[in-house]
């Protein structure tokens, strides 16, 4: 029931044509038009932002709302505020995420968020947001008619998505070209439904894991295993030598809440703080209604020098209405088909960075150690990009170089194949850029970078001269 309601709300927001937040007008209590007569009758218009004592409160409280996420101006401000008694702030901080400057605030009554805002004010609090349902599969995984769970009898065959990104044009040549370092030395955080830890695709490469659902550390949905398999599986993956850190935030129905997703992101931030020099990638093949708070947290995570890849979403709408896909600091990926078209379900827009294969992708699944399944979605496109990022970071690391997340993203965009996606509508603003590796531009970035590099500007176009060997 919760997943169904969340999906309904996601579709409603995805169909919106205007949103004050998307244009920076957070002071207006914007009215979001909902396309479709049935949805209009049921939902009408939806409030986005209101202000209480100078503190922006997103998706204002209903009579039953008692859980809020509070973004503080600093970790110290959070500590001070959360020590205040219930009589002062009208509730309690039941969970704290110091590195994210956030806490989960459970109020004694719905209206007590007003007491919280009045007491703390904008000097301590930057944002208050309702703890909404968060959807994994409802946004970013669309099953095809061929999705029958099966054991992979052709594990040595090259998956078409991996095949496609290593050549400039169709037809496919059946070659994976996954030689070289293959992501060795890079850890990939898969923030999803967990993984099938016994699967042959990940044997010996799961270095750690976290579970914020029920503590089992197992994938009872299949989605996370599929995503991980495409990113780094030994036979299905783009970077088959990278290490895996599954972070489970989605339950067996593919559902969650924003607060649970924040717990997963906080875990990643803590892990990076402990070993900041190890190159890292995080992939989030999940999504929900646009959240200014979640986007801010993701932005901080990227600033800690980890490449974050997000699925664009699957409701054929503009990515600006969803999080984390709408956050500019992440690499947002839409989905393509076997014939180089934008998938009909794929989200689009100027917020998209790259397009990658996402239709009828076979990868690992839950259950047996060699289980696989064919699934479609931008959830399947994003891990292709995560694997490419891991391979680029791996080569740089082997050469004693340290690439910033911005360098990696810029190189991947510079390397993309231009103007091969056939059915893009220009007015939607989606860049016609297909994910590509290997690429000589990536090699130039690796050779030209400096250790402990700060985030540079965009990669410059290639200039005439000797061609550097391609990064693989």
């Amino acid at each position: 029931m919760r997943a169904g309601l969340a999906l309904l709300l996601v579709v409603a927001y995805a169909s919106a044509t205007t949103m004050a937040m998307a244009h920076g007008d957070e002071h207006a209590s914007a009215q979001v038009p909902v396309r479709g007569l049935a949805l209009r009758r049921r939902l009408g218009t939806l409030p986005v932002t209101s202000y209480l004592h100078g503190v922006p409160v997103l998706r204002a409280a209903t009579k039953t709302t008692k859980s809020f996420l509070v973004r503080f101006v600093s970790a110290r401000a959070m500590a001070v505020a959360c020590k205040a008694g219930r009589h002062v702030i009208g509730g309690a901080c039941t969970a704290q995420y110091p590195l994210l400057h956030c806490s989960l605030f459970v109020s004694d009554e719905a209206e007590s968020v007003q007491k919280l805002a009045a007491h703390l004010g904008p000097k301590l609090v930057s944002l208050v947001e309702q703890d909404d349902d968060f959807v994994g599969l409802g946004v970013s995984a669309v099953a095809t008619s061929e999705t029958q769970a099966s054991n992979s009898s052709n594990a040595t065959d090259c998956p078409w998505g991996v095949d496609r990104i290593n050549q400039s044009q169709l037809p496919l040549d059946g070659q994976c070209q996954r030689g070289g370092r293959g992501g060795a030395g890079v850890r990939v955080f898969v923030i999803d439904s967990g993984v099938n830890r016994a699967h042959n695709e990940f044997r010996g490469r799961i270095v750690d894991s976290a579970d914020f659902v029920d503590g089992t550390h197992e994938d009872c949905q299949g989605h996370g295993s599929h995503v991980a398999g495409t990113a780094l599986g030994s036979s299905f993956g783009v970077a088959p030598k990278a290490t895996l850190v599954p972070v489970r935030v989605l339950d067996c129905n593919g559902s969650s809440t924003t607060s649970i997703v924040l717990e997963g992101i906080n875990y990643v931030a803590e892990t990076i703080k402990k070993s900041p020099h190890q190159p890292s990638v995080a992939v989030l093949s999940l999504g929900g209604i646009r959240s200014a708070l979640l986007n801010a947290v993701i932005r901080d995570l990227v600033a800690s020098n980890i490449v974050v890849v997000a699925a664009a979403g699957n409701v054929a709408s503009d990515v600006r209405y969803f999080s984390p896909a709408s956050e500019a600091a992440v690499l947002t990926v839409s989905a393509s088909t076997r014939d180089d078209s934008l998938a009909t379900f794929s989200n689009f827009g100027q917020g998209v960075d790259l397009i990658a294969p996402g239709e009828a992708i076979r990868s690992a699944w839950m259950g047996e150690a060699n289980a696989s399944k064919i699934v479609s979605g931008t959830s399947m496109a994003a891990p292709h990009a995560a694997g490419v990022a891991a391979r680029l970071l791996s080569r740089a690391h082997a050469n004693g170089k340290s690439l910033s997340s911005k360098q990696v993203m810029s190189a991947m965009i510079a390397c993309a194949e231009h103007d091969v996606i056939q059915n893009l509508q220009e007015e939607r603003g989606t860049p016609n850029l297909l994910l590509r590796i290997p690429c000589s531009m990536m090699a130039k970035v690796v050779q030209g970078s400096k250790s402990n590099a700060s985030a540079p500007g965009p990669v410059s176009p290639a200039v005439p001269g000797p061609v550097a060997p391609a990064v693989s």
Side-chain angles (χ1 to χ4, degrees), residues 100-124:
L100 309 183
H101 302 167
C102 293
S103 74
L104 177 63
F105 172 77
V106 177
S107 60
D108 296 330
E109 54 186 15
E111 291 76 11
S112 67
V113 68
Q114 299 179 23
K115 184 181 290 187
L116 173 74
H119 177 71
L120 301 179
K123 290 186 178 180
L124 291 181

Side-chain angles (χ1 to χ4, degrees), residues 46-89:
L46 304 175
V48 176
T49 310
S50 59
Y51 273 69
L52 292 174
H53 304 279
V55 176
V57 180
L58 276 69
R59 292 187 288 282
T62 66
K63 291 182 179 180
T64 58
T65 301
K66 291 190 177 183
S67 294
F68 298 89
L69 290 166
V70 183
R71 168 89 166 173
F72 294 89
V73 297
S74 67
R76 179 174 176 79
M78 182 186 69
V80 170
C82 288
K83 285 183 179 179
R86 285 181 177 273
H87 65 285
V88 176
I89 59 175

Side-chain angles (χ1 to χ4, degrees), residues 338-362:
R338 274 181 175 267
D339 64 356
D340 282 355
S341 296
L342 186 72
T344 57
F345 54 77
S346 182
N347 283 358
F348 51 79
Q350 295 181 0
V352 171
D353 295 295
L354 291 170
I355 301 170
E359 181 187 65
I361 304 297
R362 181 179 288 278

